């Protein structure tokens, strides 16, 4: 389905200029929300026992078998513009959330892609801890925007910081973002409302869309520090670090995409799997990074 065309026609019907619609659409992404009991045809399952390629052992980190979090049938998922998910086959997400939260190496999470036509068999679970209750899920689309274009809420610490920031306290890059928003998107509130009217979901697991903000921030800090250490860039003065970090987050937000992510307010632990666009397009899902957070309240 032509989602961009659907959005453009609806926005033009509201009298919004075409060039402004194009600018907003550059940032608009659709994610696929997965819900239990949504009423639609099943597109995957939480938990359960997976079908793995014949001869493949249950994914593990050394002698620690990894529980199956989620499996999805790529061919049953709705197609989304700009999200190069495989057109068929199954994606399996394994993670030991408690260990992954305590260990940043990534060894306690794994994404496995099983193409259609692969000879598979129902895997034998190494233990009951690896098998959660199986729950079938259905799919619906949800509109997503980058942090700087979202409408904040009382639970959004990033927006609370952003909205309370005085102009003179902003970095040069933050000031540039604000100027471009005011210049290029005078109808931002209307465009944002339209996108959410067309595609709204309160699903607690999302496939696609924007990568988790905390993950992007961590990647940005690691990237800047690594480039400094390698001598690729000059040492960044402390006074300018935040501005450079904001710019790096902005760049990485375009480079990375969420492969699968749990909402933070449903479970004690929640895991985000993120991947670069080019790795996803080439089905290199082993390149995905996983970050598990612990909900403290």
């Amino acid at each position: 389905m032509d989602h961009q065309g659907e959005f453009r026609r609806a926005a033009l019907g509201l009298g919004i200029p075409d060039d402004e619609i194009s600018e907003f659409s550059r940032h608009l992404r659709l994610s696929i929300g997965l819900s239990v009991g949504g009423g639609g045809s099943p597109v995957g399952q939480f938990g359960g026992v997976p079908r793995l390629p014949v001869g493949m052992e249950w994914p593990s980190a050394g002698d620690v078998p990894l529980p199956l979090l989620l499996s999805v049938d790529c061919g049953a998922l709705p197609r989304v513009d700009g999200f190069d998910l495989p057109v068929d086959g199954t994606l399996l997400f394994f993670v030991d959330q408690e260990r992954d939260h305590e260990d940043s190496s990534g060894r306690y999470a794994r994404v496995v892609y099983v193409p259609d036509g692969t000879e598979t068999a129902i895997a034998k679970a190494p233990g009951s801890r690896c098998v959660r209750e199986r729950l079938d899920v259905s799919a619906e689309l949800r509109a997503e925007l980058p942090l700087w274009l979202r409408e904040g809420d009382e639970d959004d610490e990033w927006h609370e910081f952003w909205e309370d920031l005085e102009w003179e306290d902003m970095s040069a890059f933050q000031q540039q973002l604000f100027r471009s928003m005011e210049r290029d998107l005078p109808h931002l509130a209307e465009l944002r409302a339209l996108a959410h009217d067309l595609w709204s979901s309160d699903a607690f697991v999302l496939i696609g869309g924007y990568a988790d903000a905390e993950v992007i921030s961590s990647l940005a800090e690691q990237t800047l520090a690594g480039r400094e250490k390698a001598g690729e860039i000059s040492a960044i003065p402390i006074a300018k670090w935040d501005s450079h970090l904001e710019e790096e987050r902005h760049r990485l937000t375009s480079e990375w995409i969420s492969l699968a992510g749990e909402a933070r307010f449903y479970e004690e632990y929640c895991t985000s799997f993120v991947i670069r666009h080019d790795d996803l397009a080439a089905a290199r899902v082993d390149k995905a990074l996983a970050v598990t957070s612990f909900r403290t309240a």
Side-chain angles (χ1 to χ4, degrees):
M1 182 175 179
D2 182 11
H3 299 109
Q4 291 283 353
E6 180 184 4
F7 181 78
R8 181 176 299 279
R9 289 188 293 272
L12 288 171
L14 296 176
I16 299 174
D18 186 73
D19 59 347
E20 188 177 348
I21 299 170
S22 295
E23 176 63 22
F24 181 85
S25 297
R26 287 198 311 114
H27 305 290
L28 177 63
R29 291 183 186 175
L30 296 183
S31 61
I32 304 167
L34 303 181
S35 300
V36 176
S41 300
V43 298
Q45 300 85 33
F46 294 127
V49 179
R51 295 190 68 91
L52 294 176
V54 171
M56 179 179 178
E57 295 184 355
W58 190 287
S60 65
D63 60 354
V64 179
L66 304 178
L68 176 64
L69 176 69
L70 167 71
S71 60
V72 292
D73 177 357
C74 296
L77 293 174
R79 304 311 296 176
V80 172
D81 303 329
F83 184 40
D84 294 318
L85 204 65
V87 297
D88 57 29
T90 304
L91 279 175
L92 304 163
F93 298 85
F94 296 85
V95 60
D96 185 316
Q97 293 183 302
E98 185 173 356
R99 286 185 169 91
D100 190 62
H101 171 62
E102 297 171 348
D103 185 312
S104 60
S105 68
R107 64 192 298 260
Y108 291 106
R110 191 83 47 80
V111 183
V112 174
Y113 173 55
V114 183
D116 272 3
T118 303
E119 186 180 359
T120 62
I122 297 176
K124 181 180 180 181
S128 60
R129 183 176 176 274
C130 294
V131 182
R132 303 183 180 187
E133 178 187 4
R134 171 176 166 155
L135 299 170
D136 289 343
V137 294
S138 58
E140 58 185 352
L141 296 180
R142 184 170 99 165
E144 290 200 20
L145 293 168
L147 281 173
W148 60 89
L149 290 183
R150 293 181 197 169
E151 184 176 13
D153 58 49
E154 60 183 9
D155 296 323
D156 192 332
E157 294 181 3
W158 189 91
H159 271 95
E160 183 178 341
F161 163 78
W162 181 265
E163 291 170 356
D164 290 344
L165 197 61
E166 298 293 337
W167 180 262
E168 58 271 17
D169 295 327
M170 292 182 187
S171 69
F173 188 75
Q174 288 170 334
Q175 291 178 350
Q176 178 185 342
L177 276 181
F178 259 105
R179 288 194 184 102
S180 64
M181 287 166 57
E182 291 176 347
R183 181 188 67 243
D184 300 331
L185 296 170
H187 297 88
L188 174 59
E190 295 96 315
L191 289 163
R192 192 162 48 200
L194 174 60
H196 291 300
D197 283 345
L198 288 173
W199 305 291
S200 179
S201 169
D202 58 359
F204 59 94
V205 171
L206 298 173
I207 303 291
Y210 279 94
D212 183 88
E214 289 189 14
V215 177
I216 290 295
S217 292
S218 177
L219 286 172
E221 291 177 359
Q222 293 174 38
T223 301
L224 277 182
R227 291 170 65 193
E228 269 191 329
K229 185 176 181 179
E232 296 178 11
I233 58 175
S234 302
I236 301 171
I238 294 177
K240 295 186 177 181
W241 176 261
D242 286 345
S243 182
H244 282 266
L245 186 61
E246 187 77 40
E247 188 168 0
E248 187 66 14
R249 280 197 293 256
H250 190 81
R251 184 185 70 81
L252 291 175
T253 295
S254 299
E255 182 179 326
W256 290 78
I257 193 167
S258 173
L259 187 55
E262 298 177 280
R264 295 181 178 276
F265 45 87
Y266 282 104
E267 300 289 346
E268 187 176 40
Y269 288 101
C270 59
T271 302
S272 292
F273 294 85
V274 300
I275 192 169
R276 286 187 174 91
H277 284 276
D278 56 349
D279 285 329
L280 179 59
R284 294 189 293 261
V285 297
D286 58 308
K287 300 293 187 182
L289 300 179
V291 176
T292 299
S293 302
F294 181 77
R295 184 169 63 88
T296 57

